[in-house]
């Protein structure tokens, strides 16, 4: 490993490759900030550019920089505008946006930058140490295990439900699951629930749904409920509160440590990725928090922001394990990266570390450098980025609407998406007025499609539900999902009994 690190270091620190790291991080960050243009789109666009470089190592360093740069920058629109354009940053908006709305946009962006840097850096260390061993672990996961993993992800709905709102959260999750069934099914390549509309054969677009659930209702609320967007932190156009207090830094340190490890190992599993890692990271931290801290989640909790930001960046790094060591893409983005590798005449797999050590280790070293570059690029720009919230409301509303509609249209390139955006946006606004949580809809939609695909394959292989009993790992994950779902109710009941006991004692 030491020899490989020295080879990778000598390759990665060449002037050309250092320039490619900086270029990839900068492009990825800027694209990640724009709702609707996620890492998949920009990597697909950058592949012809990467191929013209000629050197496979430099090309992969550039594309990897774009990938984790987009995840790093994707939190900006989630925090400032409540418009998550990348699925992996949806959970960041749950506490990041309330912080920005309360006048702490600078602090929220600082926490996101530090958590992202820490998660990515720790993920690289774990990648360097565990890559060979984890490649064999990833092979143990089949369709049955992935189905159970999606169920674990769905069990996170309990973390997004306020006090007494678990039933509402379940209803919203079921709505998301139903929306995921529109389009071609996993078992039969025939359209379903499309009502004869050709544009719905591929299903609803994630970008359209994310914008309709979060960004569009926010613009409507700005009109219906006039208020000062930036709060006390943006008076006079000045952004204050860029730094965390020592107490806040101490509180998020263990969160960053836990979610770096958890996010990385989730990212290692093909088919999991940054989205599930961020949702599970948020859910786990909320469930293990004290009762007083749980009340802050969803209302500007620093832990609620640090957890998904750490987890999604660690998972982004972890996704390179199955890509480089097995040649298995763990997500749509890594599938595009796999195509780029093949186009560059590089065959990823178990032999890559032996046959092309300079590529494998140079990419790892470039991730160290890239995470540092991202921190240096982002921290000085936070005061200027945060000034978006100082824009007067009559200018901010068209700004939000423009990026919302642009992101939705770019997703599928047809006008039907704009009609769906308006329809879902009105529906989401009504649900928000009725105090229904909207996050479970998106969780159900994102995980529902993957869950159905893996469930269908498992049923075909085992001819029934026998896979639950025959595969102990699947059964263990399903039991863990049940525990996650009922744990908040048990804790609430114990708290009520304790309060009653204290009252009786008085």
């Amino acid at each position: 490993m030491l020899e490989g690190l020295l080879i990778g270091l000598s390759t990665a620190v060449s002037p050309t490759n250092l320039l490619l790291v900086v270029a990839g991080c900068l492009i990825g960050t800027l694209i990640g900030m724009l709702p609707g243009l996620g890492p998949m789109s920009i990597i697909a666009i950058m592949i012809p550019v990467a191929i013209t470089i000629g050197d496979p190592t430099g090309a992969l360093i550039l594309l990897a920089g774009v990938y984790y740069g987009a995840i790093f920058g994707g939190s900006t629109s989630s925090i400032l505008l409540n418009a998550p354009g990348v699925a992996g940053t949806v959970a960041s908006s749950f506490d990041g946006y309330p912080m920005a709305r309360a006048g702490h946009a600078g602090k929220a962006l600082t926490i996101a930058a530090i958590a992202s840097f820490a998660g990515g850096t720790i993920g690289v260390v774990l990648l360097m140490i565990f890559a060979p061993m984890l490649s064999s672990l990833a092979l143990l996961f089949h369709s049955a295990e992935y189905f159970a993993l999606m169920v674990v992800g769905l069990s996170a709905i309990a973390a997004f439900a306020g006090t007494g709102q678990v039933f509402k959260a379940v209803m919203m999750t079921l709505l998301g699951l139903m929306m995921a069934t529109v389009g071609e099914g996993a078992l039969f390549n025939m359209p379903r629930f499309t009502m004869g509309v050709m544009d719905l054969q591929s299903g609803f677009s994630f970008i359209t749904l994310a914008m309709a659930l979060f960004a569009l209702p926010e613009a409507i609320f700005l009109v219906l409920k006039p208020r000062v967007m930036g709060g006390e932190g943006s008076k006079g156009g000045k952004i204050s509160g860029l730094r965390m207090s020592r107490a806040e830094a101490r509180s998020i340190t263990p969160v960053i440590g836990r979610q770096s490890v958890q996010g990385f190992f989730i990212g290692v599993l093909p088919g999991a990725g940054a989205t599930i890692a961020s949702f599970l990271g948020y859910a786990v931290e909320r469930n293990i928090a004290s009762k007083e801290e749980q009340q802050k989640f969803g209302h500007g909790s620093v832990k609620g922001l640090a957890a998904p930001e750490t987890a999604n960046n660690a998972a982004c790094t972890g996704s390179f394990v199955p890509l480089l060591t097995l040649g298995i893409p763990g997500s749509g983005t890594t599938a595009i990266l796999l195509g780029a590798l093949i186009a560059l005449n590089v065959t990823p797999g178990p032999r890559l570390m032996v046959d092309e050590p300079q590529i494998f280790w140079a990419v790892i070293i470039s991730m160290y450098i890239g995470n540092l570059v991202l921190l240096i690029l982002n921290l000085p720009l936070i005061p200027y980025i945060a000034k978006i919230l100082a824009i007067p409301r009559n200018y901010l509303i068209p700004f939000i609407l423009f990026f919302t509609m642009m992101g939705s249209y770019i997703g599928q390139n047809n006008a039907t998406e704009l009609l769906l955006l308006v329809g879902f946006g009105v529906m989401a606004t009504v649900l928000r007025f009725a105090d229904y949580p909207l996050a479970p809809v998106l969780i159900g939609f994102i995980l529902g499609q993957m869950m159905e695909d893996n469930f269908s394959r498992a049923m075909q292989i085992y001819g029934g539900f026998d896979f639950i009993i025959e595969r102990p790992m699947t059964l263990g994950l399903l039991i863990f999902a049940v525990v996650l779902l009922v744990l908040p109710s048990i804790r609430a009941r114990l708290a009520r009994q304790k309060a009653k006991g204290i009252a009786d004692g008085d």
Side-chain angles (χ1 to χ4, degrees), residues 22 29 35 42 119 150 158 204 206 223 240-241 266 282 312 322:
V22 175
T29 303
I42 189 58
M150 302 305 134
F204 297 125
F206 157 75
V223 176
S240 61
I266 291 174
Y282 187 93
N312 63 23

Side-chain angles (χ1 to χ4, degrees), residues 37-62:
L37 288 174
M40 286 182 64
S41 304
I42 189 58
I43 287 176
I45 294 170
M46 292 295 293
I47 283 178
V49 179
I51 291 175
T52 58
I53 293 173
D55 178 24
T57 305
L60 189 57
I61 285 174
L62 174 67

Side-chain angles (χ1 to χ4, degrees), residues 137-199:
L137 176 66
L139 288 175
L140 298 176
F141 271 68
H142 295 177
S143 298
E145 283 74 29
Y146 287 123
F147 162 71
L149 190 64
M150 302 305 134
V151 176
V152 171
L154 285 176
S155 68
I157 59 166
F160 303 101
T163 306
Q165 285 193 320
V166 175
F167 177 73
K168 287 184 176 180
V170 171
M171 293 295 291
M172 292 295 96
T173 306
L174 291 176
L175 177 61
L177 289 171
M178 287 190 290
M179 294 174 76
T181 63
V182 175
E184 293 185 353
L187 283 175
F188 307 102
N189 293 325
M190 293 182 65
R192 56 186 183 179
F193 310 124
T194 60
M195 297 170 288
V197 180
M198 290 287 293
D199 291 330

Side-chain angles (χ1 to χ4, degrees), residues 478-493:
L478 291 175
I479 292 173
F480 179 60
V482 173
V483 171
L484 277 181
L485 195 60
V486 302
L487 185 61
S489 299
I490 294 173
R491 292 183 64 170
R493 180 175 294 180

Side-chain angles (χ1 to χ4, degrees), residues 335-410:
I336 295 175
L337 285 171
L338 176 61
L341 282 172
I342 294 171
L344 292 162
N345 295 318
V346 176
T347 305
R351 295 288 305 173
L352 182 64
M353 293 175 64
V354 178
D355 298 336
E356 304 278 0
Q358 75 280 3
I359 294 179
F360 182 85
W361 292 106
V363 170
I364 290 179
I365 296 297
S366 75
M367 288 182 179
Y368 276 114
I369 301 169
N371 277 290
L372 189 59
V373 168
L374 284 169
L375 193 66
I376 295 171
L377 283 175
N378 281 271
L379 280 180
L381 295 177
I382 283 174
Y384 305 101
I385 296 171
K387 284 185 178 179
I388 290 175
L389 291 184
I391 299 173
R393 191 172 61 253
N394 55 330
Y395 296 116
L396 187 63
I397 293 170
F399 183 75
I400 294 174
L401 290 175
F402 170 74
F403 277 106
T404 299
M405 299 183 77
M406 182 191 74
S408 178
Y409 184 79
I410 288 175

Side-chain angles (χ1 to χ4, degrees), residues 210-334:
M211 296 297 169
L213 290 177
F214 295 99
L216 197 58
E218 193 56 41
I220 296 173
F221 262 64
L222 285 176
V223 176
L224 298 179
K225 290 187 173 183
R227 61 173 180 242
V228 179
M229 271 290 297
E232 61 185 15
S234 58
K235 290 178 181 177
K238 295 181 179 180
I239 305 299
S240 61
L242 300 180
R243 295 183 179 179
M244 293 181 288
S245 66
R246 289 187 179 182
E248 289 171 334
R250 283 195 298 268
S251 69
I252 66 171
T253 299
V255 174
I256 289 174
R258 284 190 295 267
Q259 293 312 314
S260 295
V261 176
Q262 177 179 297
F264 174 79
F265 284 107
I266 291 174
V268 167
L269 304 174
T275 305
I276 293 177
S278 62
F279 284 141
L280 282 181
Y282 187 93
V284 167
E285 292 303 327
R286 186 186 184 279
N287 284 336
I288 66 175
S290 65
K291 187 174 178 62
E292 293 76 18
E293 289 177 331
Q294 282 187 0
Q295 302 301 320
K296 297 178 183 177
F297 275 70
H299 302 283
S301 167
V302 292
K303 289 185 176 182
L305 175 59
E309 278 299 301
T310 305
N312 63 23
N313 280 270
C316 178
T317 305
S319 66
F320 278 84
V321 172
L323 176 67
L324 295 177
T325 60
L326 297 175
I328 298 174
S331 63
T333 307
T334 49

